Amino acid sequence: MPTPGLSRRLGLGDAVVIGLGAMVGAGVFAAFAPAAQAAGTGLLLGLGIAAAVAFGNATSTAQLAAVHPTSGGVYAYGRAELGPWWGFLAGWGFIIGKTASCAAMALTFAAYVAPPGWERPIAALAALALGAVNLFGITRTAQLARILVAIVLATLVLVAVAGLSPAAPLADGRIDLVAAGPLGILQAAGILFFAFAGYARIATLGEEVRDPARTIPRAIILAFAGALVVYAVIALVALRVLGPGSLAASSAPLVDVVRAAGWDAAAPVVRIGAAAASLGALLALITGIGRTSFAMAREGDLPRILASVDARWHVPRNAEIAVVVVVVVIVALGDIRGAIGFSSFGVLLYYLVANIAAFRQTGSARRYPRLLQTLGACGCVALVVTLPWPSVPVGLGVLAVGAGYRMLRLRRRRV
């Protein structure tokens, strides 16, 4: 009996919505406060740097996706273009980084909706619930993503209108973009890069998108452009109303924006929007990690049991379940700031491999100038070395664990 495979059911709109859902929740509701801690108003420069690096990475991913329309994203591209070890490093970096992102999004959701003291249990329940949605097919995932993205965008329009209204106060102090110095700005960029990485979710759906060679590159660029506009507007509004000090100290900055503007009645609406954004990001993250884990297991780089596809719903069932279990464990032990830094380490490694692989492509495969791949690769290295210090050694340690696991598996095959 043939093994069931994934099914091509998603169009361009579905892919863009899944990408937006992954990016908008992460950036607007989780990353600006720690970025303000690192750089103050210099987070605006950090946002620009993060966007430039992310654009180079996005074009590399789009170029590779057009040639390799398969599940796994840069894991599959790295294997095909550079060799198995490169692919493994990219895939493992993606899994460890994005699993930390899942925990950050679940904890962000709980920060907006849970009663004090119940944040971790509510975050764990959110991860379990969305994992269950993913088990019922990719079209269910896309339908829920559309609803969540619509709620989020409506909420952000409300925040922008409140923050720009005549009643909104202007924060004290002048804007000094460089007061934090180069290190602070680059740390903010590394944190904010976490917000842009959602377009990777589109690439991981290579076996579930119709006409992937055309659809995936277009969806990546459209989702990236939409998210950049949203981030820039909300960052300016938050700094205008709260200032860098209050923004850095806030656990719910967009709620604080509408309250400062005198729109107290809108605060519950913003909390609902924040919760929806976090759920949208979490939903897309679980989907992407499951597909990458599935692709790695299919090649033998992870346990083969994770390569199982549900015969009815055509989803990588075991991989999805494994992801959710690990996320629940991290939620029980971690915190948002630590999760964001750790996530950025893994994802920057992932895109470094993407840029190197795309740089090597020639002929009809080349869609974008090599300058963009160079920008993306150099940016990834620069942002990694300026991440908060616990992120890098812990990331290297987890990376070494993955590499050791693969070496043991290879040795067993030869015996």
Side-chain angles (χ1 to χ4, degrees):
M1 182 177 178
T3 301
L6 304 180
S7 179
R8 296 193 184 279
R9 300 180 179 180
L10 303 180
L12 176 63
D14 297 319
V16 171
V17 167
I18 288 174
L20 272 176
M23 286 188 279
V24 170
V28 174
F29 295 99
F32 281 132
Q37 291 175 16
T41 54
L43 76 85
L44 295 174
L45 284 180
L47 180 65
I49 293 169
V53 175
F55 182 72
N57 297 341
T59 54
S60 293
T61 305
Q63 180 174 294
L64 290 161
V67 179
H68 305 287
T70 185
S71 284
V74 177
Y75 166 70
Y77 313 153
R79 282 183 65 91
E81 298 286 343
L82 301 171
W85 267 108
W86 285 93
F88 177 83
L89 291 175
W92 187 242
F94 180 86
I95 288 173
I96 63 174
K98 288 306 177 183
T99 302
S101 296
C102 284
M105 288 302 95
L107 289 166
T108 301
F109 166 75
Y112 278 91
V113 302
W118 285 84
E119 289 85 355
R120 295 189 189 278
I122 295 298
L125 286 174
L128 291 169
L130 293 186
V133 170
N134 275 337
L135 294 180
F136 289 98
I138 192 64
T139 53
R140 305 295 193 286
T141 301
Q143 289 165 2
L144 181 55
R146 285 181 181 277
I147 295 170
L148 294 173
V149 168
I151 293 172
V152 171
L153 293 180
T155 302
L156 294 178
V157 169
L158 174 65
V159 171
V161 171
L164 296 173
S165 68
L170 294 177
D172 294 332
R174 63 189 182 90
I175 293 178
D176 188 345
L177 297 179
V178 297
L183 180 60
I185 292 169
L186 286 174
Q187 282 186 337
I191 292 168
L192 290 168
F193 180 84
F194 161 87
F196 284 103
Y199 50 78
R201 236 69 68 244
I202 302 170
T204 63
L205 302 175
E207 292 180 39
E208 295 165 276
V209 173
R210 297 189 296 269
D211 189 13
R214 184 168 182 265
T215 299
I216 292 178
R218 292 173 65 197
I220 287 173
I221 299 303
L222 288 171
F224 173 82
L228 176 57
V229 171
V230 171
Y231 299 151
V233 170
I234 297 301
L236 288 169
V237 167
L239 285 171
R240 177 181 185 269
V241 175
L242 300 179
S246 296
L247 177 59
S250 176
S251 61
L254 301 194
V255 172
D256 291 344
V257 167
V258 296
R259 283 179 172 163
W263 293 33
D264 289 353
V269 177
V270 175
R271 287 190 177 276
I272 292 171
S278 303
L279 290 179
L282 180 57
L283 179 70
L285 285 164
I286 293 172
T287 304
I289 300 167
R291 271 60 181 180
T292 301
S293 301
F294 160 77
M296 294 181 71
R298 189 167 57 182
E299 297 290 344
D301 282 337
L302 288 179
R304 294 279 187 184
I305 193 174
L306 300 180
S308 173
V309 175
D310 188 277
R312 179 179 180 185
W313 302 109
H314 300 278
V315 295
R317 179 187 59 241
N318 292 347
E320 297 274 354
I321 293 172
V323 169
V324 172
V325 169
V326 175
V327 170
V328 169
V329 172
I330 297 175
V331 162
L333 302 175
D335 66 272
I336 292 176
R337 183 179 173 88
I340 289 175
F342 184 70
S343 171
S344 293
F345 174 86
V347 175
L348 286 164
L349 172 64
Y350 178 82
Y351 285 117
L352 176 62
V353 175
N355 285 301
I356 295 171
F359 188 88
R360 288 171 56 90
Q361 289 184 300
T362 59
S364 61
R366 176 150 298 283
R367 290 173 174 244
Y368 305 100
R370 283 191 168 90
L371 177 62
L372 288 174
Q373 285 115 51
T374 303
L375 169 67
C378 293
C380 287
V381 173
L383 295 184
V384 161
V385 299
T386 58
L387 286 173
W389 76 265
S391 304
V392 177
V394 173
L396 289 173
V398 177
L399 193 65
V401 170
Y405 168 81
R406 186 170 192 269
M407 284 190 287
L408 286 175
R409 286 187 65 88
L410 292 175
R411 182 174 297 176
R412 287 178 181 176
R413 288 181 195 173
R414 288 196 294 265
V415 173

